[in-house]
């Protein structure tokens, strides 16, 4: 029996960050397939068309921000099923509200790639909240 491939959408306006996240997660072991988006509008299109297993989302982007993605996701029953890991330099107090709205975790930039890998594995193995406590000190479980 072939191992299932998991799809990960990496959303960041900085192409070097997208490439770094993808390169690091490719070394993680499980079979992942990746899709990239450089803004929130493209991210929402990919989320609706392909329903990825996990989204790694930056908040501060031009055009349509990560905050906008989270707001649209909150109003869409199908999109709410997709686990989202927020990776951002933003420390906005609204993050607590976002966490209550179904965000799996927040990792501040700069982030530890090992912590991100562990969170992605956690999202894949148990996508429904509540998530178990995670050992990474920067992560905030749902």
């Amino acid at each position: 029996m072939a191992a299932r491939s998991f799809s990960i959408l990496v959303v960041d306006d900085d192409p070097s960050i997208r490439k770094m996240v993808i390169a690091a997660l490719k070394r993680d072991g499980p079979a992942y397939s990746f899709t990239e988006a450089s803004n929130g509008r493209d991210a929402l299109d990919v989320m609706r068309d392909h329903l990825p297993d996990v989204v790694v989302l930056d908040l501060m982007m031009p055009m349509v921000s990560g905050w906008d993605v989270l707001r649209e996701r909150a109003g869409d029953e199908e999109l709410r099923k997709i686990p989202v890991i927020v990776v951002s330099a933003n420390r906005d107090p609204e993050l607590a509200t976002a966490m209550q709205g179904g965000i799996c975790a927040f990792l501040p930039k700069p982030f530890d790639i090992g912590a991100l890998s562990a969170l992605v594995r956690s999202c894949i193995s148990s996508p429904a909240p509540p998530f178990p406590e995670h050992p990474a000190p920067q992560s905030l479980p749902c």
Side-chain angles (χ1 to χ4, degrees):
M1 176 188 268
R4 182 183 186 282
S5 177
F6 296 96
S7 60
I8 300 172
L9 170 59
V10 180
V11 186
D12 198 298
D13 58 318
D14 184 335
S16 64
I17 291 178
R18 292 194 312 267
K19 299 294 182 207
M20 185 260 315
V21 167
I22 290 169
L25 292 175
K26 279 183 177 179
R27 293 189 302 251
D28 204 30
Y32 294 142
S33 62
F34 296 93
T35 307
E36 298 178 50
S38 60
N39 62 66
R41 175 58 39 220
D42 291 346
L44 286 164
D45 290 344
V46 171
M47 290 169 72
R48 288 186 176 108
D49 292 344
H50 301 291
L51 294 173
D53 293 299
V54 178
V55 176
V56 177
L57 177 68
D58 183 27
L59 294 177
M60 297 182 291
M61 294 180 289
M63 296 171 49
V64 177
S65 73
W67 289 113
D68 297 325
V69 171
L70 295 177
R71 278 189 280 279
E72 281 206 40
R73 177 182 173 268
D76 186 309
E77 186 177 336
E78 281 300 305
L79 296 185
R80 280 194 310 265
K81 295 176 185 176
I82 303 170
V84 174
I85 300 168
V86 172
V87 178
S88 181
N90 188 312
R91 304 293 197 282
D92 194 300
E94 277 188 72
L95 281 171
T97 304
M99 295 293 288
Q100 293 169 353
I103 302 310
C104 298
F106 170 72
L107 242 45
K109 286 181 181 177
F111 59 91
D112 176 75
I113 200 66
L116 178 60
S117 294
L119 286 169
V120 168
R121 286 191 306 273
S122 178
C123 286
I124 288 170
S125 65
S126 58
F131 278 50
E133 283 293 323
H134 189 273
Q138 310 110 304
S139 67
L140 300 173
C142 292

